[in-house]
Amino acid sequence: MSTATMTKSNAPTPSLTVPAIMPSNVDEGHRTVPTPFGKALVQLAEQRPEIVGMSADLAKYTDMHIFAQAFPDRFYQMGMAEQLMATAAGGLAKEGFIPFASTYATFAARRCYDFISQGIAEQDANVKIIGGLPGLTTGYGPSHQATEDLAIFRAMPNLTVIDPCDAHEIEQLVPAIADFNGPVYTRILRGAVPMVLDEYNYRFELGKAKMIRGGKDVLVISTGFMTMRALDAAKLLQKDSIDVAVLHVPTIKPLDEATILAEVNKSGRMVVVLENHTKVGGLGEAVAYALTCAGVSSKFHHIGLPDKFLDAGTLSVLQDRYGISRNAIVSSLRSWL
């Protein structure tokens, strides 16, 4: 029975099988790079002795184990204690170190919000918080699906918030956030990570949105691995003579409103925001707010996760079910044109 049929008939959700370790999202036809975050951090740390690594018992699952193996004397395993990790990271930053503190995105956002707020952000401590398994990139259910982390961290003063697309961008953002003096929260993809943006000569710049491809019919504004999906959808729709532009927005806060407004102001294009996050409080609402404040009107649509706790299951089934798969995006864009 198809997902669409199940939805219409309100039939119960079938039992779904969950693999032991969930990989990063790799759609068919894309190259991958293994552990880009861990390798980029090691490469940088060879030149930057002030960089230290931390993990709350999840080094292996956030690619921080690469750093731990290379620099065991600069790695701190904090155990299942995210709040302690956040507080210790703030203290290390005050002593002149640059801590990269890694855990799952949901644990960073939910379990130690107050500790990050008081021990890092309020102090303007130079800590880099690394959140693995962002959005719907695990089938383990609501305890591990970080569907609201961007909304939570967007509300925190002093905190820069980033959602990278692929391995190419992760490799570039690691030195960029190390050079930036201030607290940063960034999502990451782990394990075998897609390599997409190198084909477009893309360069990551903190705080900047970048046009990846032009198009006269639709302007897609996307972040995270949804930019990969947007580019795939654009290629598929091009066969139907539908011209899709893709604006990649890796930095959610501060938002590059100037670039977004400049692109939206180009007449004749439907605007669609794509994000691997709940529709509440993420990129879509940030873009809509910016357009409203600027008095800009356009035909606007938003593809994101629903305001609910999501099911557990295999990623392909879940991402189809919640409308963020490549095929679901193509179907939605066609229906709106």
Side-chain angles (χ1 to χ4, degrees):
M1 182 178 290
S2 69
T3 300
T5 303
M6 288 168 56
T7 302
K8 291 177 181 177
S9 65
N10 293 319
T13 301
S15 177
L16 300 171
T17 301
V18 182
I21 297 178
M22 305 299 289
S24 292
N25 281 258
V26 183
D27 290 337
E28 183 180 357
H30 289 296
R31 298 163 294 132
T32 63
V33 172
T35 61
F37 166 70
K39 291 177 180 176
L41 187 60
V42 166
Q43 183 177 3
L44 183 64
E46 290 173 350
Q47 308 299 324
R48 303 284 296 272
E50 70 274 24
I51 290 175
V52 296
M54 309 178 75
S55 182
D57 203 40
L58 289 170
K60 179 180 177 181
Y61 304 104
T62 57
D63 293 347
M64 183 60 79
H65 68 292
I66 306 294
F67 181 91
Q69 292 166 3
F71 300 102
D73 57 336
R74 291 159 62 181
F75 172 71
Y76 300 91
Q77 175 56 269
M78 307 304 293
M80 293 184 182
E82 291 83 6
Q83 297 167 346
L84 174 62
M85 181 178 70
T87 306
L92 284 166
K94 287 298 183 181
E95 293 300 318
F97 295 98
I98 303 178
F100 280 70
S102 70
T103 183
Y104 287 164
T106 185
F107 300 158
R110 297 176 186 165
R111 290 187 180 178
C112 52
Y113 178 90
D114 188 48
F115 293 80
I116 293 174
S117 174
Q118 299 301 295
I120 296 176
E122 185 177 352
Q123 305 300 321
D124 201 25
N126 194 22
V127 176
K128 318 307 172 184
I129 304 159
I130 310 300
L133 294 186
L136 186 52
T137 54
T138 175
Y140 289 152
S143 66
H144 284 57
Q145 291 161 348
T147 58
E148 74 276 51
D149 59 319
L150 298 181
I152 289 171
F153 283 128
R154 275 185 65 224
M156 187 178 290
N158 280 353
L159 190 63
T160 294
V161 180
I162 305 171
D163 189 7
C165 170
D166 68 343
H168 183 68
E169 186 157 50
I170 291 171
E171 291 169 351
Q172 295 180 26
L173 76 80
V174 169
I177 64 176
D179 287 342
F180 174 76
N181 186 22
V184 174
Y185 169 73
T186 183
R187 290 172 149 191
I188 61 159
L189 300 173
R190 67 179 192 182
V193 178
M195 178 69 91
V196 180
L197 295 180
D198 61 320
E199 299 175 13
Y200 299 87
N201 296 316
Y202 173 82
R203 296 298 303 173
F204 172 80
E205 290 185 68
L206 191 63
K208 296 295 184 181
K210 296 288 185 72
M211 283 298 298
I212 307 301
R213 59 169 288 162
K216 59 182 177 58
D217 299 318
V218 181
L219 171 63
V220 170
I221 302 173
S222 56
T223 190
F225 75 77
M226 294 296 277
T227 294
M228 172 183 68
R229 297 257 165 93
L231 292 168
D232 289 347
K235 291 177 182 177
L236 290 171
L237 290 168
Q238 194 169 27
K239 298 175 183 177
D240 298 332
S241 298
I242 299 173
D243 202 11
V244 178
V246 178
L247 176 65
H248 178 48
V249 185
T251 307
I252 309 298
K253 181 184 178 183
L255 189 67
D256 186 359
E257 294 185 3
T259 299
I260 292 170
L261 290 172
E263 290 299 328
V264 173
N265 272 321
K266 295 178 181 178
S267 62
R269 294 191 296 188
M270 177 177 70
V271 175
V272 181
V273 175
L274 304 185
E275 59 183 319
N276 172 37
H277 184 268
T278 173
K279 292 182 179 179
V280 178
L283 177 63
E285 286 195 356
V287 170
Y289 178 77
L291 299 184
T292 300
C293 289
V296 176
S297 61
S298 65
K299 187 177 181 182
F300 182 92
H301 292 282
H302 187 190
I303 295 176
L305 299 170
D307 180 23
K308 62 188 293 186
F309 292 109
L310 308 184
D311 296 331
T314 56
L315 284 177
S316 59
V317 171
L318 293 178
Q319 293 183 358
D320 271 334
R321 179 173 296 165
Y322 295 117
I324 66 166
S325 68
R326 176 167 54 190
N327 289 340
I329 292 167
V330 170
S331 178
S332 292
L333 293 179
R334 281 180 174 146
S335 71
W336 292 330
L337 286 169

